[in-house]
Amino acid sequence: MNLAALHPNLRVRIAVGFLQRLLDSMVMSFMAIYLAFEYGVAVAGVLVVTVMVLGVVGTLAGGHMSDARGRRRTLLLGETGVCLTFALMAVADSPAWHSPAIVYCGYLVNKFAASFAMPANDAMILDVTTPESRKLVYTINYWSINLALAIGALLGGFLYNGHFTLLLALAATGTVAIAAATFFLIAETRPEETEQAESGAAAEPRGSILRDFANGYRLVLQDRAFGRLLVAATLFMCIELQLINYIGVRLARDLPAQDLLSIGSWAVRVDGVEMLGILRAENTVLVVALALVAHLVLRRVPDRVRLYAGAGLFTAGYMVLAVSDTGWVLLVAALVLTVGELMDVPVRQALLADMVPAASRTRYMAVYNLNIRVALVVASLCITIGSVLPPWGMAALYGVFGLVIIWQYHAILTPSAARAELARA
């Protein structure tokens, strides 16, 4: 299969997703810094947490609406909200107004709107792909997202100081293009069984909107096989976020300055903070460079092997990052964990797509996307835990996470266990 053979909606959503991630990385990565300078670190922390909480509400609300009213309508509402709030933030940050409070309010609503649209976008990808094409589609999407995040962070880093209003204006302009693409190029993809279920429910006496909302998500949470995959995804993300949490702190505090490369009198000398930046750049560059190659090389490898080996390599790489103080060992560990990541992620996404029922796709995707929010909290707590445990203790904790991930995969992939889970769901 090639890109030309993909559903038109899918080609548009991959392109739009690239632009969305680029704009988000270009602006939103620096909002915490903006709020810290305007309100102080302590207040900024509370403000960012509030944004995260509202994002969870937006995700769940968007998941419910997309299944009830359709993907396209949900996307248009969310993307229009993102566009309007970026424009509001740009005007509020301009020298003529300069209102940090309005900028923050725009940021708050912006993240709600973006979260509101996210499950519909994920469900639309499932709607128009087949089991045979999903690994390739998720590999392309994963490659595209990482490339966008890298470019966006680079642009934002250069333009943030002194040009933040311009960044916001560029984001507003970009989201106009995104909303226009959705309006003119995207067709509705909600499955017929979803529409029939909703129309049948409409013919019966209905309870309150909140009751319908709760009942829809209650069915998702009762799906035990899905719950196992959610646990695996959450722990995987917990490990991944260690690089910017405990491992980042450890490297900045404990890694001695050392030469990574020396030729005669010339040497590349790095400290812990610089090493952290190199490791993050290495991971991003390797994902962008190897994602499509990995798909071609690994396409004949059984899913079970890819999931087990991928989770094992990924975990082992982070365990080394937790304990080593040698630059080249850290670089090799980053290579190993990236290979594990490329083996695992596309297969896990395809596995998720196969187990999600068509009638509740966006509700499932909304709950699944919460793994990132939970992982952020756990990863932050690991900084506190790391102040008590020695580095080898943190490495052992990552090892436990990795074993639980593999255990969840085994329970899902074992045919008898999978049938039992589905029967109980």
Side-chain angles (χ1 to χ4, degrees):
M1 170 168 287
N2 54 49
L3 282 175
L6 297 177
H7 191 284
N9 273 18
L10 194 54
R11 295 198 297 270
V12 173
R13 291 317 303 177
I14 289 175
V16 162
F18 174 86
L19 183 55
Q20 284 175 325
R21 295 312 195 286
L22 188 149
L23 296 175
D24 188 77
S25 178
M26 189 172 70
V27 176
M28 295 307 177
S29 300
F30 301 94
M31 280 305 301
I33 299 172
Y34 174 88
L35 294 172
F37 274 98
E38 294 291 347
Y39 294 107
V41 175
V43 175
V46 175
L47 295 177
V48 171
V49 170
T50 304
V51 170
M52 290 176 58
V53 171
L54 199 60
V56 171
V57 176
T59 299
L60 296 176
H64 177 74
M65 178 168 175
S66 180
D67 278 336
R69 297 289 180 263
R71 311 336 186 189
R72 186 173 180 273
R73 182 182 300 183
T74 306
L75 285 171
L76 284 172
L77 282 174
E79 290 168 358
T80 301
V82 171
C83 176
L84 292 175
T85 50
F86 268 136
L88 174 64
M89 292 167 70
V91 173
D93 190 63
S94 66
W97 191 354
H98 189 67
S99 173
I102 299 298
V103 172
Y104 174 70
C105 290
Y107 174 44
L108 196 67
V109 179
N110 183 286
K111 295 307 290 183
F112 175 88
S115 299
F116 183 82
M118 185 187 302
N121 180 72
D122 293 342
M124 184 171 281
I125 292 176
L126 299 189
D127 293 338
V128 298
T129 54
T130 63
E132 295 75 23
S133 67
R134 280 173 183 153
K135 289 177 193 172
L136 172 61
V137 169
Y138 283 122
T139 299
I140 294 171
N141 200 43
Y142 188 62
W143 171 83
S144 172
I145 288 171
N146 276 274
L147 180 61
L149 293 176
I151 296 173
L154 187 64
L155 291 174
F158 279 107
L159 294 175
Y160 173 75
N161 285 321
H163 302 284
F164 189 56
T165 303
L166 174 61
L167 276 179
L168 294 170
L170 290 173
T173 304
T175 49
V176 170
I178 290 170
T182 300
F183 184 80
F184 290 108
L185 302 177
I186 292 294
E188 181 57 67
T189 62
R190 185 169 58 145
E192 290 184 6
E193 53 264 45
T194 305
E195 297 177 8
Q196 292 168 358
E198 292 297 333
S199 61
E204 300 174 357
R206 295 181 64 89
S208 67
I209 294 175
L210 287 177
R211 185 182 305 164
D212 294 337
F213 178 89
N215 287 339
Y217 281 107
R218 177 176 54 81
L219 295 176
V220 175
L221 296 175
Q222 288 176 343
D223 187 332
R224 296 190 182 182
F226 172 76
R228 288 186 178 279
L229 190 64
L230 181 60
V231 169
T234 303
L235 291 177
F236 197 95
M237 184 59 66
C238 286
I239 297 173
E240 183 174 348
L241 290 172
Q242 293 305 304
L243 190 59
I244 58 174
N245 285 276
Y246 168 75
I247 290 173
V249 172
R250 187 191 77 80
L251 292 176
R253 181 189 61 201
D254 298 338
L255 188 75
Q258 55 193 275
D259 293 339
L260 276 183
L261 180 66
S262 60
I263 302 175
S265 60
W266 178 82
V268 178
R269 191 165 184 81
V270 296
D271 59 19
V273 175
E274 292 165 340
M275 192 69 218
L276 174 62
I278 291 172
L279 292 173
R280 294 185 66 184
E282 178 188 3
N283 177 252
T284 302
V285 169
L286 287 174
V287 168
V288 171
L290 299 180
L292 300 179
V293 175
H295 171 75
L296 295 175
V297 172
L298 299 172
R299 60 184 172 179
R300 299 189 185 279
V301 177
D303 289 351
R304 183 187 298 270
V305 174
R306 285 188 62 173
L307 288 170
Y308 291 176
L313 291 173
F314 183 79
T315 303
Y318 273 95
M319 291 174 70
V320 173
L321 294 185
V323 297
S324 177
D325 288 329
T326 303
W328 278 103
V329 173
L330 294 172
L331 291 174
V332 172
L335 171 62
V336 170
L337 71 88
T338 303
V339 171
E341 185 179 352
L342 293 173
M343 294 179 72
D344 181 282
V345 174
V347 180
R348 174 161 32 95
Q349 291 291 100
L351 183 63
L352 170 68
D354 292 341
M355 71 167 54
V356 169
S360 301
R361 274 180 178 155
T362 37
R363 291 187 180 96
Y364 271 78
M365 298 311 297
V367 174
Y368 184 80
N369 284 327
L370 295 182
N371 78 80
I372 300 173
R373 316 282 182 179
V374 176
L376 284 167
V377 174
V378 175
S380 299
L381 291 175
C382 283
I383 297 176
T384 303
I385 296 172
S387 67
V388 179
L389 292 180
W392 63 262
M394 293 302 295
L397 180 62
Y398 302 163
V400 171
F401 285 176
L403 289 174
V404 174
I405 292 170
I406 294 173
W407 175 38
Q408 299 303 319
Y409 286 157
H410 175 74
I412 295 169
L413 295 173
T414 301
S416 59
R419 285 195 296 270
E421 293 286 0
L422 291 173
R424 288 194 294 267

